[in-house]
Amino acid sequence: DGARIAYAVVNADEFPGIYVMNADGTDDHKLVENTTSSTSSGRSISWSPDGSGMYYTKEDIVRNTDAYNDIYFFDLKQKKEIRITRGLRARDPYPSPDGKKLVFVINKLGKTRLALADVPKDPGVPIQVKDIVWLSDEGPYQYETPRFSPDGTMIVVGVWQPGGFKDIWLLDSSGRKIEELMHDRAIDSDAVWSADNRIIFFSSDRTGIFNIYAYELAAKKLYQVTNVLGGAFTPAPSPDGKALVFAS
């Protein structure tokens, strides 16, 4: 609803955590303690469509040696953390517009796949492998931060490709590639949709400094949104399309 902003903090002084504030910056406070991930994209946060809570990634140590990413949900009404997956090496969750499904990334033996599953109706029963519909095969591509379009018909996703290309792909809701929005030597990431389904915002270093860019799908037009010296990352447009939050 645009009333609040959630963000992750990682620093050397304390364990990583998720914070939330009002849209005007007031009431800024830590919501979840001890969140971390072995991948930078695993720090992404996704609100539920009804604004009742948020999905995020946490890392567990298994058998005292292995680090496993898994997906959690924080219910703001109950002020309760709910586990969504267990031992799946799952990260980067994002809900469908109706809130019934989650798209996310699973890592196995250094390879990633895009996965789709129903949001568990029973908070005590996490998603299992048998519940997953695979949107991609095992292959050479490294996926990150998949995001449903507001109308639910498409998914935008970051992809590391062989040869060192870090680009953004557009998929249909079944995982079929529609197009590559770019294929160049820039590092493009953090792709998100505008509320009207027309524009994809993302972060890129194509000028030598990371800034926020926008890609208009219909016109296939790319333009720069920010011009900062310290870098701009993780864009998040407001639901009314009038403002853009980002980290700098």
Side-chain angles (χ1 to χ4, degrees), residues 16-33:
I18 292 175
Y19 290 70
V20 67
M21 68 170 84
N22 295 329
D24 62 2
T26 60
D27 193 26
D28 188 6
H29 62 279
K30 182 181 283 189
L31 188 70
V32 183
E33 296 273 5

Side-chain angles (χ1 to χ4, degrees), residues 186-206:
I187 297 176
D188 305 309
S189 60
D190 305 329
V192 293
W193 293 87
S194 62
D196 60 8
N197 235 73
R198 294 177 47 250
I199 296 172
I200 293 173
F201 296 98
F202 63 98
S203 178
S204 176
D205 71 342
R206 56 191 54 243

Side-chain angles (χ1 to χ4, degrees), residues 108-224:
K108 183 179 180 182
L109 300 176
K111 296 181 179 181
T112 65
R113 297 180 74 179
L114 288 177
L116 182 72
D118 292 337
V119 173
K121 295 180 180 179
D122 184 346
V125 182
I127 294 170
Q128 307 294 317
V129 173
K130 63 180 178 60
D131 303 321
I132 292 174
V133 174
W134 298 106
L135 301 184
S136 67
D137 297 324
E138 289 187 357
Y141 305 113
Q142 296 287 323
Y143 297 99
E144 65 178 29
T145 57
R147 297 286 184 264
F148 273 110
S149 60
D151 63 4
T153 63
M154 293 178 287
I155 297 170
V156 66
V157 62
V159 185
W160 281 100
Q161 301 189 63
F165 294 94
K166 176 67 168 62
D167 300 308
I168 295 170
W169 289 7
L170 192 64
L171 316 175
D172 66 17
S173 59
S174 66
R176 182 181 62 86
K177 183 166 71 171
I178 298 174
E179 66 174 306
E180 298 184 27
L181 300 189
M182 66 285 294
H183 188 84
D184 52 37
R185 285 302 175 187
I187 297 176
D188 305 309
S189 60
D190 305 329
V192 293
W193 293 87
S194 62
D196 60 8
N197 235 73
R198 294 177 47 250
I199 296 172
I200 293 173
F201 296 98
F202 63 98
S203 178
S204 176
D205 71 342
R206 56 191 54 243
T207 62
I209 297 174
F210 279 97
N211 269 290
I212 306 301
Y213 290 79
Y215 185 89
E216 288 189 29
L217 291 172
K220 298 187 182 300
K221 179 183 177 182
L222 176 69
Y223 59 89
Q224 188 170 338

